[in-house]
Amino acid sequence: MRRLALLLVLAAGVLVMAAPASAHPLGNFSINHLDQLKVSAGRVDVVYILDQAEIPTFQERGLSPAQVLTRKRAEVQRRLVLTVDGRPVPLTFAPGAQISYPPGQGGLKLTRVVLPLTARVAHPRAVSLHDGTFPGRIGWKAIVAVPGSGTDVHSNVPSTDPTNGLRSYPKSSLSSPLDERDASLSVKPGDGQLTAPRGDGRTSTTHNRSGDGFAGVFADAAAGKGVLVFFLLAAFGWGAVHALSPGHGKTMVAAYLVGTHGTARHAVALGATVTVTHTIGVFALGFVTLLLSALILPEQLYPWLNLASGLMVVAIGATVLAKRVQRHHHHHHHHHGHDHHHHHDELTTKGIVAMGASAGLLPCPSALVVLLGAIAQHQVALGLLMIVVFSLGLAGTLTALGLIVVYAQGRVRVSGRLATALPAISALVIVGAGFLLTAQAVPKVV
């Protein structure tokens, strides 16, 4: 009984620790932009602010700051549209453009650009701004109104900016980023009064766009700030913690081992498959980022990987369920009164590889940042080693969960009917989880 109680406590601890993570998994891909719009008596001023994350900044590593600034100006000139009293009005660049490269995760840089623009207008009455820059890229997109001189303005966009000019973001911004690309203002002569709606009120901020500290561990290791073995242990730990975040197959692995009467050897094999699959996924996404980004954006692959993972899980669950139904019919046909054999032959090598691959298919963005940071700092061997160790930590958590499940199966006694039905129930859990993953992925790829 003591062993059983300890087992239940450990299992409960795993489930509690697996609470949903708050950070967006694609933060290192984001391109964020903000427009500060001010309407005065004879002019409209716009300050366009760009905050570009580590991976798109890395993709421009061969360009000088002047060339990057030229590219951003061209994008703004082409896609930032000002309309005054129903007519498009061209915005011209004013002096004071700025570009800087703040430090980011994994030794990589961010890109920050500030572009002042202006347009001469006479007695504006209705002003609208459309920001169509960087379409299809994830990130924070916002327009805020700023009081002008000689005007009273009613705005449909707020006058407050919770990001402090894209320097920090609301805690939920990476999971539900603001997507405001249009502003409309009604204008009349006045003394600088601005009437605008209140902002969303989110003030808690986050500065870590990778979702965990793995990239920071690599940055310290690359800079030689400590002993390598401790950095490797930290990388393993971050991988283990990362496995507790949503989307890494904890429920499916457990249900699969129950549904197929898996053994400890099978649990370890699943963990090894997760290690290999996750490592290959990081390297493959790095290849896309380095060589194929002109054809496909790396972040566009994530919904497809989610869809592939979901469909694989559905197929695996359906296969397990079909075998259980077939065995039940066979058992019923031969009138077997008792069947307590652990039919390990149900769990094939192909099934183990498929389930392990579905759990490790989606590479962690911070692992990709480490790979790119290793390339940028000519520390490729160190980066590859830490990614492998991170993947081992990821697999270690799933393996431990699998071993707990296997241990529980051998020591927890259940009634005959429940013992018979449990594998089929586990298969239904796998199918349901697969359908849920697929349903979440389909709207993002359609």
PDB file of all heavy atoms in Angstrom, residues 70-98:
ATOM      1  N   THR A  70      17.201  50.396 -45.228  1.00  0.00           N
ATOM      2  CA  THR A  70      16.623  50.640 -46.555  1.00  0.00           C
ATOM      3  C   THR A  70      15.493  49.660 -46.846  1.00  0.00           C
ATOM      4  O   THR A  70      14.441  50.042 -47.385  1.00  0.00           O
ATOM      5  CB  THR A  70      17.713  50.521 -47.636  1.00  0.00           C
ATOM      6  OG1 THR A  70      18.705  51.524 -47.417  1.00  0.00           O
ATOM      7  CG2 THR A  70      17.123  50.697 -49.028  1.00  0.00           C
ATOM      8  N   ARG A  71      15.680  48.413 -46.477  1.00  0.00           N
ATOM      9  CA  ARG A  71      14.635  47.403 -46.698  1.00  0.00           C
ATOM     10  C   ARG A  71      13.389  47.718 -45.873  1.00  0.00           C
ATOM     11  O   ARG A  71      12.259  47.582 -46.362  1.00  0.00           O
ATOM     12  CB  ARG A  71      15.157  46.009 -46.324  1.00  0.00           C
ATOM     13  CG  ARG A  71      16.217  45.480 -47.267  1.00  0.00           C
ATOM     14  CD  ARG A  71      16.685  44.098 -46.854  1.00  0.00           C
ATOM     15  NE  ARG A  71      15.616  43.113 -46.903  1.00  0.00           N
ATOM     16  CZ  ARG A  71      15.799  41.804 -46.749  1.00  0.00           C
ATOM     17  NH1 ARG A  71      17.020  41.339 -46.500  1.00  0.00           N
ATOM     18  NH2 ARG A  71      14.794  40.975 -46.813  1.00  0.00           N
ATOM     19  N   LYS A  72      13.574  48.144 -44.623  1.00  0.00           N
ATOM     20  CA  LYS A  72      12.422  48.447 -43.780  1.00  0.00           C
ATOM     21  C   LYS A  72      11.689  49.686 -44.295  1.00  0.00           C
ATOM     22  O   LYS A  72      10.459  49.748 -44.269  1.00  0.00           O
ATOM     23  CB  LYS A  72      12.851  48.665 -42.327  1.00  0.00           C
ATOM     24  CG  LYS A  72      13.650  47.515 -41.725  1.00  0.00           C
ATOM     25  CD  LYS A  72      13.023  46.153 -41.965  1.00  0.00           C
ATOM     26  CE  LYS A  72      13.879  45.045 -41.358  1.00  0.00           C
ATOM     27  NZ  LYS A  72      13.446  43.692 -41.780  1.00  0.00           N
ATOM     28  N   ARG A  73      12.439  50.661 -44.755  1.00  0.00           N
ATOM     29  CA  ARG A  73      11.801  51.855 -45.331  1.00  0.00           C
ATOM     30  C   ARG A  73      10.962  51.491 -46.557  1.00  0.00           C
ATOM     31  O   ARG A  73       9.848  52.000 -46.731  1.00  0.00           O
ATOM     32  CB  ARG A  73      12.874  52.871 -45.716  1.00  0.00           C
ATOM     33  CG  ARG A  73      13.369  53.718 -44.554  1.00  0.00           C
ATOM     34  CD  ARG A  73      14.473  54.641 -45.005  1.00  0.00           C
ATOM     35  NE  ARG A  73      14.733  55.700 -44.051  1.00  0.00           N
ATOM     36  CZ  ARG A  73      15.808  56.477 -44.084  1.00  0.00           C
ATOM     37  NH1 ARG A  73      16.734  56.298 -45.029  1.00  0.00           N
ATOM     38  NH2 ARG A  73      15.971  57.433 -43.173  1.00  0.00           N
ATOM     39  N   ALA A  74      11.489  50.609 -47.384  1.00  0.00           N
ATOM     40  CA  ALA A  74      10.750  50.211 -48.576  1.00  0.00           C
ATOM     41  C   ALA A  74       9.452  49.497 -48.208  1.00  0.00           C
ATOM     42  O   ALA A  74       8.401  49.717 -48.831  1.00  0.00           O
ATOM     43  CB  ALA A  74      11.631  49.312 -49.451  1.00  0.00           C
ATOM     44  N   GLU A  75       9.509  48.642 -47.189  1.00  0.00           N
ATOM     45  CA  GLU A  75       8.309  47.937 -46.740  1.00  0.00           C
ATOM     46  C   GLU A  75       7.271  48.919 -46.198  1.00  0.00           C
ATOM     47  O   GLU A  75       6.070  48.814 -46.511  1.00  0.00           O
ATOM     48  CB  GLU A  75       8.689  46.922 -45.655  1.00  0.00           C
ATOM     49  CG  GLU A  75       7.527  46.195 -45.023  1.00  0.00           C
ATOM     50  CD  GLU A  75       6.907  45.147 -45.924  1.00  0.00           C
ATOM     51  OE1 GLU A  75       7.495  44.846 -46.998  1.00  0.00           O
ATOM     52  OE2 GLU A  75       5.836  44.624 -45.565  1.00  0.00           O
ATOM     53  N   VAL A  76       7.711  49.883 -45.413  1.00  0.00           N
ATOM     54  CA  VAL A  76       6.799  50.870 -44.853  1.00  0.00           C
ATOM     55  C   VAL A  76       6.210  51.755 -45.946  1.00  0.00           C
ATOM     56  O   VAL A  76       5.008  52.040 -45.961  1.00  0.00           O
ATOM     57  CB  VAL A  76       7.529  51.724 -43.791  1.00  0.00           C
ATOM     58  CG1 VAL A  76       6.681  52.919 -43.372  1.00  0.00           C
ATOM     59  CG2 VAL A  76       7.870  50.868 -42.572  1.00  0.00           C
ATOM     60  N   GLN A  77       7.030  52.200 -46.863  1.00  0.00           N
ATOM     61  CA  GLN A  77       6.554  53.073 -47.934  1.00  0.00           C
ATOM     62  C   GLN A  77       5.516  52.366 -48.808  1.00  0.00           C
ATOM     63  O   GLN A  77       4.570  52.987 -49.295  1.00  0.00           O
ATOM     64  CB  GLN A  77       7.728  53.534 -48.792  1.00  0.00           C
ATOM     65  CG  GLN A  77       7.395  54.665 -49.750  1.00  0.00           C
ATOM     66  CD  GLN A  77       8.646  55.284 -50.338  1.00  0.00           C
ATOM     67  OE1 GLN A  77       9.605  54.578 -50.675  1.00  0.00           O
ATOM     68  NE2 GLN A  77       8.672  56.610 -50.443  1.00  0.00           N
ATOM     69  N   ARG A  78       5.685  51.057 -48.960  1.00  0.00           N
ATOM     70  CA  ARG A  78       4.783  50.304 -49.829  1.00  0.00           C
ATOM     71  C   ARG A  78       3.474  49.941 -49.134  1.00  0.00           C
ATOM     72  O   ARG A  78       2.413  49.897 -49.778  1.00  0.00           O
ATOM     73  CB  ARG A  78       5.497  49.030 -50.295  1.00  0.00           C
ATOM     74  CG  ARG A  78       4.698  48.172 -51.273  1.00  0.00           C
ATOM     75  CD  ARG A  78       5.555  47.102 -51.912  1.00  0.00           C
ATOM     76  NE  ARG A  78       6.074  46.144 -50.926  1.00  0.00           N
ATOM     77  CZ  ARG A  78       7.349  46.087 -50.538  1.00  0.00           C
ATOM     78  NH1 ARG A  78       8.236  46.929 -51.047  1.00  0.00           N
ATOM     79  NH2 ARG A  78       7.744  45.193 -49.646  1.00  0.00           N
ATOM     80  N   ARG A  79       3.496  49.711 -47.822  1.00  0.00           N
ATOM     81  CA  ARG A  79       2.337  49.104 -47.168  1.00  0.00           C
ATOM     82  C   ARG A  79       1.700  49.946 -46.060  1.00  0.00           C
ATOM     83  O   ARG A  79       0.691  49.531 -45.494  1.00  0.00           O
ATOM     84  CB  ARG A  79       2.732  47.744 -46.588  1.00  0.00           C
ATOM     85  CG  ARG A  79       3.206  46.754 -47.640  1.00  0.00           C
ATOM     86  CD  ARG A  79       3.432  45.385 -47.023  1.00  0.00           C
ATOM     87  NE  ARG A  79       3.987  44.438 -47.957  1.00  0.00           N
ATOM     88  CZ  ARG A  79       3.286  43.692 -48.804  1.00  0.00           C
ATOM     89  NH1 ARG A  79       1.961  43.806 -48.805  1.00  0.00           N
ATOM     90  NH2 ARG A  79       3.875  42.845 -49.625  1.00  0.00           N
ATOM     91  N   LEU A  80       2.281  51.097 -45.720  1.00  0.00           N
ATOM     92  CA  LEU A  80       1.660  51.987 -44.736  1.00  0.00           C
ATOM     93  C   LEU A  80       0.873  53.048 -45.486  1.00  0.00           C
ATOM     94  O   LEU A  80       1.457  53.887 -46.199  1.00  0.00           O
ATOM     95  CB  LEU A  80       2.727  52.620 -43.843  1.00  0.00           C
ATOM     96  CG  LEU A  80       2.211  53.381 -42.617  1.00  0.00           C
ATOM     97  CD1 LEU A  80       1.527  52.445 -41.634  1.00  0.00           C
ATOM     98  CD2 LEU A  80       3.355  54.113 -41.933  1.00  0.00           C
ATOM     99  N   VAL A  81      -0.462  53.022 -45.352  1.00  0.00           N
ATOM    100  CA  VAL A  81      -1.344  53.842 -46.187  1.00  0.00           C
ATOM    101  C   VAL A  81      -2.088  54.844 -45.311  1.00  0.00           C
ATOM    102  O   VAL A  81      -2.828  54.463 -44.400  1.00  0.00           O
ATOM    103  CB  VAL A  81      -2.344  52.970 -46.960  1.00  0.00           C
ATOM    104  CG1 VAL A  81      -3.267  53.848 -47.807  1.00  0.00           C
ATOM    105  CG2 VAL A  81      -1.610  51.950 -47.822  1.00  0.00           C
ATOM    106  N   LEU A  82      -1.918  56.129 -45.613  1.00  0.00           N
ATOM    107  CA  LEU A  82      -2.623  57.213 -44.921  1.00  0.00           C
ATOM    108  C   LEU A  82      -3.704  57.771 -45.838  1.00  0.00           C
ATOM    109  O   LEU A  82      -3.454  58.046 -47.021  1.00  0.00           O
ATOM    110  CB  LEU A  82      -1.641  58.321 -44.546  1.00  0.00           C
ATOM    111  CG  LEU A  82      -2.246  59.586 -43.922  1.00  0.00           C
ATOM    112  CD1 LEU A  82      -2.805  59.278 -42.532  1.00  0.00           C
ATOM    113  CD2 LEU A  82      -1.200  60.708 -43.861  1.00  0.00           C
ATOM    114  N   THR A  83      -4.909  57.918 -45.287  1.00  0.00           N
ATOM    115  CA  THR A  83      -6.029  58.492 -46.031  1.00  0.00           C
ATOM    116  C   THR A  83      -6.573  59.678 -45.246  1.00  0.00           C
ATOM    117  O   THR A  83      -6.850  59.558 -44.042  1.00  0.00           O
ATOM    118  CB  THR A  83      -7.148  57.453 -46.240  1.00  0.00           C
ATOM    119  OG1 THR A  83      -6.615  56.313 -46.904  1.00  0.00           O
ATOM    120  CG2 THR A  83      -8.286  58.031 -47.068  1.00  0.00           C
ATOM    121  N   VAL A  84      -6.720  60.814 -45.923  1.00  0.00           N
ATOM    122  CA  VAL A  84      -7.235  62.032 -45.296  1.00  0.00           C
ATOM    123  C   VAL A  84      -8.438  62.513 -46.091  1.00  0.00           C
ATOM    124  O   VAL A  84      -8.326  62.752 -47.307  1.00  0.00           O
ATOM    125  CB  VAL A  84      -6.157  63.133 -45.231  1.00  0.00           C
ATOM    126  CG1 VAL A  84      -6.746  64.402 -44.613  1.00  0.00           C
ATOM    127  CG2 VAL A  84      -4.955  62.651 -44.436  1.00  0.00           C
ATOM    128  N   ASP A  85      -9.571  62.619 -45.416  1.00  0.00           N
ATOM    129  CA  ASP A  85     -10.827  63.067 -46.049  1.00  0.00           C
ATOM    130  C   ASP A  85     -11.131  62.268 -47.310  1.00  0.00           C
ATOM    131  O   ASP A  85     -11.539  62.817 -48.347  1.00  0.00           O
ATOM    132  CB  ASP A  85     -10.753  64.568 -46.359  1.00  0.00           C
ATOM    133  CG  ASP A  85     -10.623  65.410 -45.113  1.00  0.00           C
ATOM    134  OD1 ASP A  85     -11.125  64.974 -44.056  1.00  0.00           O
ATOM    135  OD2 ASP A  85      -9.976  66.478 -45.174  1.00  0.00           O
ATOM    136  N   GLY A  86     -10.892  60.946 -47.220  1.00  0.00           N
ATOM    137  CA  GLY A  86     -11.249  60.050 -48.313  1.00  0.00           C
ATOM    138  C   GLY A  86     -10.217  59.928 -49.411  1.00  0.00           C
ATOM    139  O   GLY A  86     -10.440  59.173 -50.370  1.00  0.00           O
ATOM    140  N   ARG A  87      -9.116  60.653 -49.324  1.00  0.00           N
ATOM    141  CA  ARG A  87      -8.101  60.601 -50.392  1.00  0.00           C
ATOM    142  C   ARG A  87      -6.777  60.109 -49.819  1.00  0.00           C
ATOM    143  O   ARG A  87      -6.356  60.534 -48.730  1.00  0.00           O
ATOM    144  CB  ARG A  87      -7.898  61.988 -51.019  1.00  0.00           C
ATOM    145  CG  ARG A  87      -9.142  62.554 -51.706  1.00  0.00           C
ATOM    146  CD  ARG A  87      -8.794  63.835 -52.455  1.00  0.00           C
ATOM    147  NE  ARG A  87      -8.215  64.836 -51.558  1.00  0.00           N
ATOM    148  CZ  ARG A  87      -8.917  65.701 -50.849  1.00  0.00           C
ATOM    149  NH1 ARG A  87     -10.245  65.678 -50.901  1.00  0.00           N
ATOM    150  NH2 ARG A  87      -8.313  66.588 -50.078  1.00  0.00           N
ATOM    151  N   PRO A  88      -6.070  59.214 -50.538  1.00  0.00           N
ATOM    152  CA  PRO A  88      -4.753  58.779 -50.071  1.00  0.00           C
ATOM    153  C   PRO A  88      -3.761  59.934 -50.090  1.00  0.00           C
ATOM    154  O   PRO A  88      -3.730  60.736 -51.036  1.00  0.00           O
ATOM    155  CB  PRO A  88      -4.351  57.680 -51.063  1.00  0.00           C
ATOM    156  CG  PRO A  88      -5.373  57.665 -52.132  1.00  0.00           C
ATOM    157  CD  PRO A  88      -6.483  58.575 -51.776  1.00  0.00           C
ATOM    158  N   VAL A  89      -2.985  60.034 -49.048  1.00  0.00           N
ATOM    159  CA  VAL A  89      -1.980  61.094 -48.923  1.00  0.00           C
ATOM    160  C   VAL A  89      -0.622  60.426 -48.701  1.00  0.00           C
ATOM    161  O   VAL A  89      -0.477  59.609 -47.784  1.00  0.00           O
ATOM    162  CB  VAL A  89      -2.310  62.039 -47.754  1.00  0.00           C
ATOM    163  CG1 VAL A  89      -1.197  63.063 -47.557  1.00  0.00           C
ATOM    164  CG2 VAL A  89      -3.649  62.738 -47.994  1.00  0.00           C
ATOM    165  N   PRO A  90       0.376  60.749 -49.519  1.00  0.00           N
ATOM    166  CA  PRO A  90       1.680  60.092 -49.334  1.00  0.00           C
ATOM    167  C   PRO A  90       2.376  60.553 -48.061  1.00  0.00           C
ATOM    168  O   PRO A  90       2.362  61.738 -47.711  1.00  0.00           O
ATOM    169  CB  PRO A  90       2.456  60.527 -50.584  1.00  0.00           C
ATOM    170  CG  PRO A  90       1.799  61.790 -51.041  1.00  0.00           C
ATOM    171  CD  PRO A  90       0.362  61.676 -50.671  1.00  0.00           C
ATOM    172  N   LEU A  91       2.968  59.603 -47.372  1.00  0.00           N
ATOM    173  CA  LEU A  91       3.804  59.885 -46.213  1.00  0.00           C
ATOM    174  C   LEU A  91       5.260  59.952 -46.655  1.00  0.00           C
ATOM    175  O   LEU A  91       5.724  59.117 -47.428  1.00  0.00           O
ATOM    176  CB  LEU A  91       3.639  58.789 -45.159  1.00  0.00           C
ATOM    177  CG  LEU A  91       2.363  58.811 -44.312  1.00  0.00           C
ATOM    178  CD1 LEU A  91       2.141  57.454 -43.649  1.00  0.00           C
ATOM    179  CD2 LEU A  91       2.437  59.912 -43.262  1.00  0.00           C
ATOM    180  N   THR A  92       5.961  60.951 -46.190  1.00  0.00           N
ATOM    181  CA  THR A  92       7.384  61.074 -46.516  1.00  0.00           C
ATOM    182  C   THR A  92       8.206  60.861 -45.248  1.00  0.00           C
ATOM    183  O   THR A  92       7.768  61.182 -44.135  1.00  0.00           O
ATOM    184  CB  THR A  92       7.700  62.462 -47.107  1.00  0.00           C
ATOM    185  OG1 THR A  92       7.323  63.473 -46.164  1.00  0.00           O
ATOM    186  CG2 THR A  92       6.941  62.675 -48.405  1.00  0.00           C
ATOM    187  N   PHE A  93       9.405  60.317 -45.411  1.00  0.00           N
ATOM    188  CA  PHE A  93      10.262  60.045 -44.265  1.00  0.00           C
ATOM    189  C   PHE A  93      10.878  61.342 -43.753  1.00  0.00           C
ATOM    190  O   PHE A  93      11.404  62.145 -44.523  1.00  0.00           O
ATOM    191  CB  PHE A  93      11.354  59.054 -44.642  1.00  0.00           C
ATOM    192  CG  PHE A  93      10.826  57.664 -44.910  1.00  0.00           C
ATOM    193  CD1 PHE A  93      10.686  57.202 -46.211  1.00  0.00           C
ATOM    194  CD2 PHE A  93      10.449  56.839 -43.860  1.00  0.00           C
ATOM    195  CE1 PHE A  93      10.199  55.936 -46.466  1.00  0.00           C
ATOM    196  CE2 PHE A  93       9.958  55.566 -44.100  1.00  0.00           C
ATOM    197  CZ  PHE A  93       9.826  55.113 -45.407  1.00  0.00           C
ATOM    198  N   ALA A  94      10.789  61.534 -42.457  1.00  0.00           N
ATOM    199  CA  ALA A  94      11.375  62.704 -41.811  1.00  0.00           C
ATOM    200  C   ALA A  94      12.746  62.326 -41.247  1.00  0.00           C
ATOM    201  O   ALA A  94      13.077  61.143 -41.109  1.00  0.00           O
ATOM    202  CB  ALA A  94      10.452  63.175 -40.683  1.00  0.00           C
ATOM    203  N   PRO A  95      13.574  63.308 -40.925  1.00  0.00           N
ATOM    204  CA  PRO A  95      14.882  62.995 -40.308  1.00  0.00           C
ATOM    205  C   PRO A  95      14.701  62.286 -38.968  1.00  0.00           C
ATOM    206  O   PRO A  95      13.672  62.407 -38.316  1.00  0.00           O
ATOM    207  CB  PRO A  95      15.516  64.375 -40.127  1.00  0.00           C
ATOM    208  CG  PRO A  95      14.792  65.271 -41.083  1.00  0.00           C
ATOM    209  CD  PRO A  95      13.400  64.748 -41.171  1.00  0.00           C
ATOM    210  N   GLY A  96      15.723  61.546 -38.579  1.00  0.00           N
ATOM    211  CA  GLY A  96      15.709  60.914 -37.261  1.00  0.00           C
ATOM    212  C   GLY A  96      15.518  59.413 -37.280  1.00  0.00           C
ATOM    213  O   GLY A  96      15.253  58.813 -36.224  1.00  0.00           O
ATOM    214  N   ALA A  97      15.648  58.764 -38.463  1.00  0.00           N
ATOM    215  CA  ALA A  97      15.523  57.307 -38.514  1.00  0.00           C
ATOM    216  C   ALA A  97      16.611  56.651 -37.656  1.00  0.00           C
ATOM    217  O   ALA A  97      17.756  57.111 -37.632  1.00  0.00           O
ATOM    218  CB  ALA A  97      15.619  56.824 -39.953  1.00  0.00           C
ATOM    219  N   GLN A  98      16.242  55.576 -36.973  1.00  0.00           N
ATOM    220  CA  GLN A  98      17.179  54.882 -36.079  1.00  0.00           C
ATOM    221  C   GLN A  98      17.110  53.384 -36.313  1.00  0.00           C
ATOM    222  O   GLN A  98      16.039  52.841 -36.563  1.00  0.00           O
ATOM    223  CB  GLN A  98      16.855  55.173 -34.610  1.00  0.00           C
ATOM    224  CG  GLN A  98      16.847  56.639 -34.224  1.00  0.00           C
ATOM    225  CD  GLN A  98      16.334  56.846 -32.807  1.00  0.00           C
ATOM    226  OE1 GLN A  98      16.288  55.913 -32.007  1.00  0.00           O
ATOM    227  NE2 GLN A  98      15.937  58.072 -32.502  1.00  0.00           N
TER     228      GLN A  98
END
